[in-house]
Amino acid sequence: MKKYIITVLGQDRTYPCYEGQRLLHAIEGAGGDCIRVGCREGGCGVCRVKIHSGEYETGIMSKAHIGEEEKKQGLVLSCRVYPKGDLTVEPAPKYKNRQE
Amino acid sequence: MALTGILRPGLIQLRVTDLEKSVEHYVERIGLDEVGRDGDLVYLKGWDEFDHHSVVLRKAETAGMDFFAFKVDSDETLEHYRKRIEDAGVEVIDVAAGDQPGFGPRIAFKIPTGHRIELYAQVERAAYHPPVTNPEIVPREPRGMHASRFDHGLLYGPNVNETKDFFENVLDFSTAEQVDGEDNSTQIAIWLTCSNKAHDIAFVDYPEENKFHHIAFMLENWNEIGQAADIMSRHNISIDVGPTRHGITRGQTIYFFDPSGNRNEVFAGGYQYYPDNPTRNWTPDQLGKGIFYYERKLNDAFLSVVT
């Protein structure tokens, strides 16, 4: 099984991501909490990250959170990212909270 | 009063980003029946519902809810509420009969949280509905989580107090439970009922208008909630929280997500509400216990993850 290494800026550890696994699921599954977990289905937008380097594919993401402009800047919802190589990413949360 | 006037939530339209995966989720996993399609729209109903359909999936580029509609008991009641709503200074938009298959005319209006709410009186009986002569308990073999019906919804938006006032004084709902804000003159969350249920619709204060928190489907008991959890893990459905229990409404629950990120709930139990019951109040320091009674704290997603 192919394994990719995910580096999250600001974290002192890396995360393994196996072929076919999604970025958020790999980090969450390895006990990481550096990316906020929401719906895990591309709809709510809280798990947004900026990809700095590496190959990946994406699934359907709500246009309310990721438009064409964001995509060009490497902004994606990590729950819809399928890594195809080692990745370096940075959390880029888009998050609203009644209490904030 | 007897159960008259506005009867129940009867129709909800959700936006989904992947129509086929969503149909598989709502039909094969949750257990609704598909009753028809029209282009990018799919019409669904629960096995224990008599009306033509209750849930509509609409293919779109964003997730969320288009509208939430209540059934009323007669055409006269529909006209009565049209006048009440207009007298409250709220614009009423007419939706022609047949806009949804099987449905008569509907009236639509915007509430202070920014959501589109609708009322209707007429809807055809579904082709396959629960039997009415020597009725069998299970009209068809159980499928998936075996959800019997669309039960209620929770919506997020601003102006919760104005919304409470509108539902109580214009639409004749009661507030079964509420969570107070910093003082008890304002509320940050309200559970409203037009029936014998602990809630038919609920609202939580949120800075952005017209956000969708969840649609709930009725299951029979704790056993079915447990079986639903088994199905969710079997099919890697994204779970938010549960199985657990709400302090508010006392319902047994799992929150989970559809393939477009809309939150779903399977819900069982809950107390019976009567209109002479007082409103049950929760203080803000007990919000966690009110929402998730066993964990006694909110999870990260409850106040912030919406579509």
Side-chain angles (χ1 to χ4, degrees):
Chain A
M1 189 181 269
K2 268 191 196 165
K3 183 170 97 172
Y4 308 121
I5 301 300
I6 308 299
T7 303
V8 182
L9 295 184
Q11 297 293 308
D12 55 10
R13 60 164 289 192
T14 59
Y15 300 91
C17 181
Y18 296 92
E19 175 97 57
Q21 221 178 359
R22 294 184 260 168
L23 175 58
L24 179 68
H25 296 63
I27 291 172
E28 199 188 3
D33 61 359
C34 51
I35 297 176
R36 215 146 199 176
V37 178
C39 70
R40 302 187 194 87
E41 295 288 4
C44 77
V46 306
C47 69
R48 196 173 73 160
V49 297
K50 185 177 169 82
I51 308 239
H52 284 268
S53 64
E55 297 291 313
Y56 60 95
E57 291 173 1
T58 56
I60 298 173
M61 299 178 280
S62 168
K63 284 268 165 67
H65 303 294
I66 302 292
E68 290 309 316
E69 204 43 52
E70 281 96 352
K71 260 191 183 167
K72 278 184 205 157
Q73 297 167 27
L75 286 165
V76 289
L77 301 183
S78 56
C79 68
R80 290 295 206 218
V81 171
Y82 295 86
K84 296 292 166 191
D86 295 348
L87 288 189
T88 300
V89 309
E90 177 187 6
K94 190 180 171 192
Y95 190 70
K96 282 200 174 68
N97 190 323
R98 182 186 57 79
Q99 293 172 325
E100 281 171 8
Chain B
M1 66 173 180
L3 193 52
T4 58
I6 296 176
L7 298 175
R8 62 171 173 275
L11 182 66
I12 187 171
Q13 184 164 303
L14 302 177
R15 296 189 299 277
V16 296
T17 53
D18 187 324
L19 194 59
E20 289 316 312
K21 276 191 179 171
S22 301
V23 170
E24 184 184 357
H25 173 83
Y26 285 95
V27 172
E28 302 301 331
R29 305 288 98 80
I30 292 179
L32 303 183
D33 292 331
E34 181 178 333
V35 300
R37 288 194 187 216
D38 181 12
D40 285 342
L41 299 168
V42 177
Y43 307 106
L44 309 170
K45 71 177 281 293
W47 66 265
D48 208 17
E49 292 180 300
F50 286 93
D51 290 347
H52 189 275
H53 63 271
S54 57
V55 176
V56 186
L57 306 178
R58 179 171 76 84
K59 186 175 180 347
E61 292 191 326
T62 61
M65 183 191 83
D66 284 338
F67 66 84
F68 189 111
F70 294 92
K71 188 180 189 184
V72 306
D73 65 0
S74 67
D75 292 336
E76 292 69 33
T77 297
L78 192 63
E79 286 313 302
H80 168 79
Y81 282 109
R82 174 201 297 277
K83 184 167 187 320
R84 295 268 297 274
I85 294 161
E86 286 175 344
D87 286 350
V90 175
E91 185 191 2
V92 172
I93 297 161
D94 281 282
V95 182
D99 171 76
Q100 295 260 333
F103 278 72
R106 315 192 315 265
I107 62 171
F109 48 96
K110 192 172 163 184
I111 57 171
T113 51
H115 298 91
R116 180 183 170 114
I117 302 294
E118 299 187 355
L119 303 176
Y120 62 92
Q122 300 295 335
V123 55
E124 289 171 15
R125 189 159 291 186
Y128 297 95
H129 58 75
V132 291
T133 304
N134 305 322
E136 302 289 353
I137 286 174
V138 183
R140 64 157 169 75
E141 303 306 300
R143 186 178 61 246
M145 302 177 206
H146 198 219
S148 59
R149 62 174 159 84
F150 162 38
D151 186 74
H152 67 265
L154 171 57
L155 309 179
Y156 274 37
N159 309 313
V160 162
N161 279 85
E162 291 84 343
T163 301
K164 173 177 152 75
D165 183 66
F166 181 83
F167 271 87
E168 286 182 349
N169 297 316
V170 179
L171 301 180
D172 298 320
F173 280 58
S174 303
T175 302
E177 300 203 43
Q178 60 188 21
V179 179
D180 293 333
E182 293 308 315
D183 62 75
N184 60 13
S185 65
T186 61
Q187 279 72 46
I188 56 172
I190 52 173
W191 284 258
L192 299 162
T193 178
C194 60
S195 68
N196 213 203
K197 290 151 60 187
H199 61 334
D200 287 297
I201 192 167
F203 294 92
V204 169
D205 182 49
Y206 189 73
E208 212 176 327
E209 282 198 341
N210 193 22
K211 303 309 283 187
F212 176 70
H213 190 273
H214 73 259
I215 175 179
F217 299 100
M218 178 60 77
L219 299 189
E220 199 161 354
N221 51 38
W222 253 129
N223 261 357
E224 283 200 347
I225 296 281
Q227 286 161 2
D230 293 343
I231 290 169
M232 288 178 208
S233 278
R234 164 71 179 80
H235 293 280
N236 293 312
I237 291 172
S238 173
I239 292 184
D240 183 11
V241 65
T244 184
R245 192 164 192 187
H246 296 306
I248 295 166
T249 74
R250 299 184 203 151
Q252 297 144 351
T253 177
I254 307 171
Y255 282 155
F256 56 107
F257 295 98
D258 81 5
S260 307
N262 294 306
R263 192 186 275 93
N264 296 157
E265 178 180 29
V266 283
F267 182 91
Y271 58 81
Q272 290 171 352
Y273 177 84
Y274 286 91
D276 61 329
N277 290 168
T279 297
R280 292 152 162 100
N281 260 65
W282 293 78
T283 52
D285 60 309
Q286 297 297 312
L287 176 62
K289 194 172 189 177
I291 303 296
F292 300 127
Y293 193 69
Y294 297 151
E295 293 80 359
R296 282 163 272 149
K297 61 183 182 187
L298 295 180
N299 69 346
D300 182 51
F302 184 81
L303 288 176
S304 56
V305 172
V306 291
T307 55

